[in-house]
Amino acid sequence: MNYRHVYHAGNFADVLKHAVLIAILEHLKQKDKAFRVLDTHAGIGLYDLSSPMAQKTGEWRDGIGRIIDITPSKQAAPLIAPYLEIVREINGAGPLTTYPGSPEITRRLMRPQDRLTLTELHSADHATLAKRYAGDHQVRVVELDAWLAMGGFVPFKEKRGLVLIDPAFEEPDEYRTLAAGIFKATRRWMNGTYAAWYPIKDRKALDHFYRMMIDTGLRKMLKVEFNVARNTRDGALKACGMLILNPPFMLEEQLNGALPWLTRILAQGAGAAASVDWLVPE
């Protein structure tokens, strides 16, 4: 486990991932009944953008840094405005120095009846995460492999909720592991919402992942791809995707409204594009 998200916190991929996360959470909150979120690759929860690690890559400058001080278009606002509100709230009246990871975003949106389970395998990051939420009875922090967590922690006793999956993609067959993890979890809990993030670098490997997911027989899988430029030889990530199983009914419309604006604002070169379509419809 060498991956540390602080190098990438607030980049273009986080903008997409966290805007989608917030949209799903707000949908879950429309009913009074409690929900739970399982965040399988939780990181440390909150990131210091002024730290040497964040400054080394500066990826946040081409992500949240580009949009924090502007107003989204009318079409983009339903998805992007709630996301910007949380980031601005955390930073107060000062400059952008702190970025919330998915645990902090989720915790701020939870109601008293809701619960959050965070799993993180990196020992140092787990220690930081555990300290951050120590004494919080609504948050459980576990040092555990994400794929074991997906098999063991679902179904939720609340019977409603989200499994957020954000692998580091350090291993060569991570797409296969992701597909297997989702399939295993859905055998135990079919009705939950699952949101999986992944990098897009090897198109052949990605298409194979899509075929594996189609072959599971699962239905209602919404696919999002977001390119800020064409992939380059230097290996810097320029594209990512999300696959959302059982998405909120309004999410497709929100993404279609927001992605053209996001693509224009966050473009880093030729090839910037985005798409939303059903890998498998209902």
Side-chain angles (χ1 to χ4, degrees):
M1 288 293 298
N2 298 312
Y3 181 86
R4 309 298 295 277
H5 190 65
V6 65
Y7 291 103
H8 313 289
N11 67 2
F12 77 93
D14 266 2
V15 172
L16 173 65
K17 175 174 58 186
H18 292 150
V20 169
L21 168 63
I22 292 167
I24 295 172
L25 294 174
E26 292 295 355
H27 174 75
L28 288 169
K29 289 166 64 177
Q30 290 179 8
K31 294 183 178 180
D32 291 335
K33 191 175 180 181
F35 65 80
R36 181 179 294 269
V37 174
L38 170 60
D39 191 335
T40 64
H41 299 76
I44 63 173
L46 204 63
Y47 297 92
D48 180 3
L49 298 180
S50 66
S51 70
M53 288 182 286
Q55 289 291 320
K56 182 177 181 180
T57 59
E59 290 187 15
W60 61 272
R61 294 187 179 93
D62 284 327
I64 185 60
R66 289 197 187 183
I67 63 174
I68 189 66
D69 292 323
I70 61 178
T71 301
S73 68
K74 180 179 178 181
Q75 293 77 15
L79 188 73
I80 303 301
Y83 163 70
L84 291 177
E85 182 179 349
I86 287 181
V87 180
R88 289 167 180 162
E89 178 183 282
I90 287 172
N91 285 273
L96 176 63
T97 59
T98 305
Y99 186 80
S102 49
E104 186 66 18
I105 289 172
T106 302
R107 184 64 188 93
R108 286 173 176 261
L109 291 176
M110 286 163 52
R111 305 160 302 177
Q113 65 267 41
D114 303 323
R115 296 295 183 267
L116 172 60
T117 300
L118 305 172
T119 60
E120 175 56 52
L121 193 57
H122 192 289
S123 58
D125 286 356
H126 169 265
T128 300
L129 195 67
K131 183 178 179 181
R132 183 175 309 282
Y133 297 107
D136 189 334
H137 73 280
Q138 290 182 253
V139 181
R140 179 186 181 191
V141 181
V142 185
E143 188 174 0
L144 183 67
D145 177 80
W147 312 116
L148 292 176
M150 286 179 63
F153 290 167
V154 299
F156 303 151
K157 66 178 183 180
E158 292 83 3
K159 303 188 186 305
R160 303 178 63 235
L162 164 69
V163 179
L164 178 66
I165 314 160
D166 179 18
F169 277 84
E170 292 182 311
E171 303 298 329
D173 59 349
E174 196 91 72
Y175 283 119
R176 183 180 297 277
T177 304
L178 175 59
I182 294 172
F183 180 72
K184 181 179 180 180
T186 55
R187 295 307 88 189
R188 294 170 58 89
W189 190 40
M190 183 71 74
N191 297 327
T193 297
Y194 296 80
W197 178 94
Y198 42 86
I200 298 177
K201 285 191 173 184
D202 183 339
R203 190 75 223 184
K204 184 179 291 186
L206 180 62
D207 288 342
H208 183 57
F209 167 66
Y210 290 152
R211 288 195 297 274
M212 285 189 290
M213 291 305 303
I214 292 170
D215 289 345
T216 63
L218 295 168
R219 312 294 299 175
K220 205 174 181 184
M221 293 190 280
L222 186 66
K223 173 170 67 72
V224 186
E225 295 188 4
F226 183 35
N227 297 57
V228 293
R230 295 191 186 95
N231 285 322
T232 58
R233 291 183 178 179
D234 65 8
L237 185 66
K238 301 296 182 183
C240 69
M242 292 191 75
L243 189 66
I244 304 105
L245 283 72
N246 300 322
F249 69 91
M250 78 303 180
L251 185 59
E252 180 184 12
E253 180 180 350
Q254 290 182 340
L255 283 163
N256 278 319
L259 282 173
W261 181 83
L262 271 183
T263 302
R264 177 171 58 85
I265 300 298
L266 299 185
Q268 297 180 25
S275 64
V276 183
D277 60 276
W278 289 94
L279 182 66
V280 181
E282 188 169 6

